Each structure stands twice: as structure tokens, then as C-alpha cells.
Amino acid sequence: IYSSDAEYEPGTVLKLGGNAEVTQTRSFNDTEVFGVVSTNPAYLMNSEADGVAVALTGRVPVMCQGRIKKGERIVSSNEPGKAKALGNNEYDMRSIIGRALHDKESFTDELVEVVVGVK
């Protein structure tokens, strides 16, 4: 559990900062990416604390934009708290949220299961 500067929906991409411990990402390929708001944590540390459950590793639904191929690297997008496929862009390993576990064919924003922490 981490204190957040706002209430965030499951699947929101977060970074350290803001007026609390975490805030949503706001830029493409952000090297400050920290984790994703969890939907169903297997193990929840600091469970009595106020804030949001943040997945730092594991299988997690992530709110993604655009088409994604299974196995693609996922990074933050320019839309606050959302992610997208890295594509052929250059990157710093610190910006990788994880890898997509399935294809996403549509351009609409939707949850994609991602292995968070896998570079």
C-alpha cells in the first residue's frame, strides 16, 4: 500500500512523486515508472495503511492504449496513468512496465494483462 495524491482505478500506471508517495504517469516512456494499481494482490504488505495497492511485480491488468502484440514491452503513454506498446522506440530499461500476455487488436483503451517487472 502506498499513499497516493488521488484515488486511482485498478490498472493505472504510477510513479513515485506528486503530493504523496505515488502519482500517475504523464509522459511516454517515463523512466520514473514505479508500478500499477493492483486489482487482486496475492500478497499485500502494509495492508493497514491508507492508500492504493501497487503491483511491483507479477501478472496485472494494465490500462493500455492502441494495438499491442503478445510479448511486446509496455511503457507509460502520454495519457495520464495509461500504458502502450513501446514499438520500435528506443528506451531505457527503467521505463519498462512489463510484457503483454496477449494481443490487443483495438485502438480503444482497455485492460491488458501484463507481466509487471519483466523487462
Side-chain angles (χ1 to χ4, degrees):
I1 299 280
Y2 293 86
S3 65
S4 60
D5 59 357
E7 288 189 35
Y8 295 114
E9 295 290 320
T12 302
V13 181
L14 300 174
K15 66 180 186 175
L16 294 173
N19 295 329
E21 293 174 329
V22 294
T23 190
Q24 63 189 344
T25 56
R26 296 184 183 280
S27 61
F28 174 70
N29 208 5
D30 190 342
T31 59
E32 298 296 319
V33 70
F34 180 63
V36 178
V37 177
S38 181
T39 54
N40 188 17
Y43 179 73
L44 186 58
M45 295 173 53
N46 307 322
S47 59
E48 276 87 51
D50 289 331
V52 295
V54 179
L56 305 175
T57 188
R59 187 181 194 132
V60 182
V62 178
M63 185 55 71
C64 292
Q65 302 179 301
R67 292 184 175 160
I68 296 173
K69 293 179 185 171
K70 180 179 178 179
E72 273 195 287
R73 288 181 172 94
I74 305 301
V75 297
S76 60
S77 78
N78 286 327
E79 288 290 319
K82 295 181 183 173
K84 66 185 300 177
L86 175 65
N88 293 325
N89 293 293
E90 293 197 20
Y91 66 97
D92 183 315
M93 290 301 283
R94 295 172 297 171
S95 68
I96 305 299
I97 297 165
R99 299 271 188 114
L101 285 172
H102 61 84
D103 292 336
K104 178 179 172 293
E105 300 291 332
S106 73
F107 287 101
T108 60
D109 296 354
E110 57 189 69
L111 292 170
V112 172
E113 205 157 16
V114 172
V115 182
V116 171
V118 173
K119 306 299 181 193

